[in-house]
Amino acid sequence: MPRTARTASTGIGIAVVLALGLTACGSSGGDDVAADKKQTLTVWAMGAEGEKLADVAKVYEKANPNITVKVTPVGWDVAHQKLVSAAAAGSMPDVAQMGGSYMGEFSELGVLEPVDTKTFQEKDFFPSGWEQGEVDGQAYGVPWYVDTRVLYYRTDLAKQAGITKAPTDWKEMQDLATAYQKKAGTKWGLSIQPSGLDTVQNFYSFLYSAGGEIVNDKGEAVIDSPEAVKALKEYGSYFSKGLSNKSVQPGYDVVKDFGNGRVPMFFGGPWHVTLLNEGQPQLKGKWAVANVPADKSSVSMAGGSSLVISKDSEHKAAATRFIKYLTDTKGQADWYKRTKDLPANTAAWTSGDLADDNDLQIFKKQMDTAKSSPSLPNWTEVTDKVDQAIAKVTQGKASAEDALKTAQSQIEGLVK
């Protein structure tokens, strides 16, 4: 999913579906209509993607006059509940956009059709993009677009501070944050979230680069590992040293403070390139992006969205063909031009704007090592416990060891 969108409590979602009597989980719809027959495909897409996809659908319809593609834009704030309600009523769209944090929940409900792995092959996509659509080794979603976080930094202010290259490891990043304050006069050294919903999204770059995880491949909670403790200590040190703001209001606009110089560094996604170019034109030539500074290695979080087909759809063949159009090399390059969403198909990066833009190649390099979250039905409940642990540390209320020990105990109860 883009930005910081997330689901409501997945446990509540499942309970609602069961209460409404979803007795046909995993059942097949009627006979599938052949892809070349006249028919209408229903498609739900979220946020800005929903608006842009309608334009793509019109192009597709001209080339495929037997197919009418009915795109319904859905706001991310209501997407989860609408999908839950549709699952309960047996009225899922033929095709839906789905973030990785939804996948475990809706596969468990039995409303998703497994991916046709003869048509869509894992090797064609970023590994972490493909993994976001998998649950217990079974692919349910085809990667549509990806995103990850990289480091944005003010190069002009770095030069004022006597530093002329991007930080490559934790020490260099903290040295630069300190130099920004002491030598370039910035208010803060690095903007990272201190507390609140989805604080974990900023923490991932530290956690994964240290070799830590929240839940391992065996489904075991490991958030109190030495690697995780080391990462949280490093994260917390920015607040204890006054390099990062302990109090950030909801809806805070880091782009504005990056533009006025109060904040010279932050971790951001690909959309921030457009926001800076359009919203802070005075910064042209004064900022750059760099891969996440490493501890053991440089690893960031993987985000994005997949496209899924309803188990009960009677238009699976046409839906498969439409998704193929959206996720092949040509379709992915076209989607990037329309939305600036990063292609999930790696072949789309080998030519055109994507291949020629040095900043975008930083994102590609980061995606090559980016790590996706486990597809657990209650993942948002799990990450809430990590959010709470981070807040204890950033506010000076607990040590990293104690905060993560508590989180470990809580998460063990959620993943058993």
Side-chain angles (χ1 to χ4, degrees):
M1 283 180 288
R3 325 314 190 241
T4 55
R6 69 188 267 151
T7 68
S9 169
T10 53
I12 293 173
I14 292 173
V16 169
V17 170
L18 295 178
L20 290 173
L22 182 60
T23 58
C25 286
S27 66
S28 176
D31 294 336
D32 193 43
V33 179
D36 59 354
K37 298 296 184 182
K38 191 172 182 64
Q39 58 196 292
T40 298
L41 273 180
T42 56
V43 182
W44 288 6
M46 317 313 178
E49 282 74 23
E51 303 293 339
K52 297 290 185 180
L53 186 57
D55 296 332
V56 177
K58 291 175 184 176
V59 176
Y60 185 78
E61 288 172 340
K62 289 180 180 179
N64 299 270
N66 57 313
I67 303 294
T68 298
V69 182
K70 183 180 178 182
V71 177
T72 300
V74 180
W76 276 115
D77 57 336
V78 297
H80 178 260
Q81 188 54 50
K82 282 184 70 70
L83 285 166
V84 167
S85 298
S91 58
M92 289 280 288
D94 296 307
V95 177
Q97 176 184 355
M98 193 165 283
S101 60
Y102 289 15
M103 207 65 66
E105 176 182 7
F106 286 90
S107 66
E108 185 170 279
L109 292 174
V111 296
L112 304 181
E113 179 74 6
V115 169
D116 175 0
T117 53
K118 292 182 179 179
T119 301
F120 305 101
Q121 298 186 35
E122 181 177 356
K123 66 179 178 61
D124 294 331
F125 301 92
F126 285 109
S128 56
W130 184 267
E131 288 165 6
Q132 288 180 77
E134 282 189 328
V135 182
D136 296 330
Q138 174 66 62
Y140 290 97
V142 180
W144 187 18
Y145 64 86
V146 294
D147 74 61
T148 190
R149 304 294 185 270
V150 298
L151 185 71
Y152 286 73
Y153 72 105
R154 287 282 298 267
T155 53
D156 59 335
L157 296 176
K159 288 179 182 177
Q160 285 186 36
I163 296 175
T164 58
K165 69 182 186 69
T168 60
D169 58 30
W170 282 3
K171 182 181 184 302
E172 289 181 356
M173 181 165 65
Q174 192 157 128
D175 286 348
L176 178 56
T178 302
Y180 274 134
Q181 278 189 325
K182 292 184 176 180
K183 297 180 180 180
T186 64
K187 175 66 175 177
W188 307 106
L190 172 70
S191 177
I192 47 178
Q193 193 168 329
S195 60
L197 187 68
D198 284 328
T199 302
V200 70
Q201 291 202 2
N202 269 189
F203 180 55
Y204 281 138
S205 294
F206 291 80
L207 177 66
Y208 293 156
S209 292
E213 296 178 285
I214 299 174
V215 175
N216 65 18
D217 293 340
K218 298 178 181 178
E220 302 165 333
V222 289
I223 193 58
D224 64 346
S225 69
E227 293 83 2
V229 170
K230 182 181 182 182
L232 188 50
K233 283 182 175 179
E234 181 69 15
Y235 193 92
S237 70
Y238 281 88
F239 299 92
S240 64
K241 294 177 180 179
L243 295 169
S244 296
N245 191 353
K246 288 185 177 182
S247 179
V248 175
Q249 297 300 313
Y252 169 68
D253 183 8
V254 72
V255 171
K256 181 179 178 180
D257 274 355
F258 191 71
N260 62 33
R262 284 171 57 87
V263 167
M265 282 196 296
F266 69 95
F267 290 102
W271 61 90
H272 282 110
V273 173
T274 301
L275 291 176
L276 287 168
N277 287 337
E278 295 180 356
Q280 304 292 331
Q282 78 282 3
L283 289 187
K284 184 176 181 180
K286 298 179 180 179
W287 62 274
V289 295
N291 291 119
V292 167
D295 178 41
K296 288 184 177 178
S297 57
S298 171
V299 185
S300 189
M301 63 170 283
S305 280
S306 299
L307 295 168
V308 302
I309 296 175
S310 167
K311 186 77 172 179
D312 288 336
S313 171
E314 296 181 355
H315 307 280
K316 294 186 181 74
T320 297
R321 186 174 290 183
F322 182 56
I323 293 175
K324 182 66 175 177
Y325 173 82
L326 295 175
T327 59
D328 67 13
T329 304
K330 184 178 179 180
Q332 291 270 278
D334 176 67
W335 187 243
Y336 170 74
K337 288 180 180 178
R338 293 173 183 272
T339 65
K340 302 306 179 186
D341 286 339
L342 301 181
N345 188 321
T346 55
W349 291 80
T350 60
S351 62
D353 293 345
L354 287 154
D356 297 336
D357 191 307
N358 291 332
D359 287 344
L360 289 173
Q361 288 298 312
I362 294 290
F363 281 96
K364 182 182 184 301
K365 183 179 178 181
Q366 199 70 69
M367 275 304 307
D368 286 336
T369 62
K371 187 174 179 62
S372 60
S373 299
S375 296
L376 298 177
N378 59 348
W379 185 243
T380 55
E381 295 176 67
V382 170
T383 56
D384 279 342
K385 307 307 179 187
V386 183
D387 286 345
Q388 293 169 25
I390 297 168
K392 291 177 184 176
V393 173
T394 64
Q395 303 307 304
K397 295 180 179 179
S399 66
E401 291 89 347
D402 289 346
L404 292 180
K405 183 177 181 180
T406 298
Q408 173 75 11
S409 177
Q410 295 170 329
I411 294 170
E412 282 176 346
L414 293 171
V415 298
K416 284 182 178 179

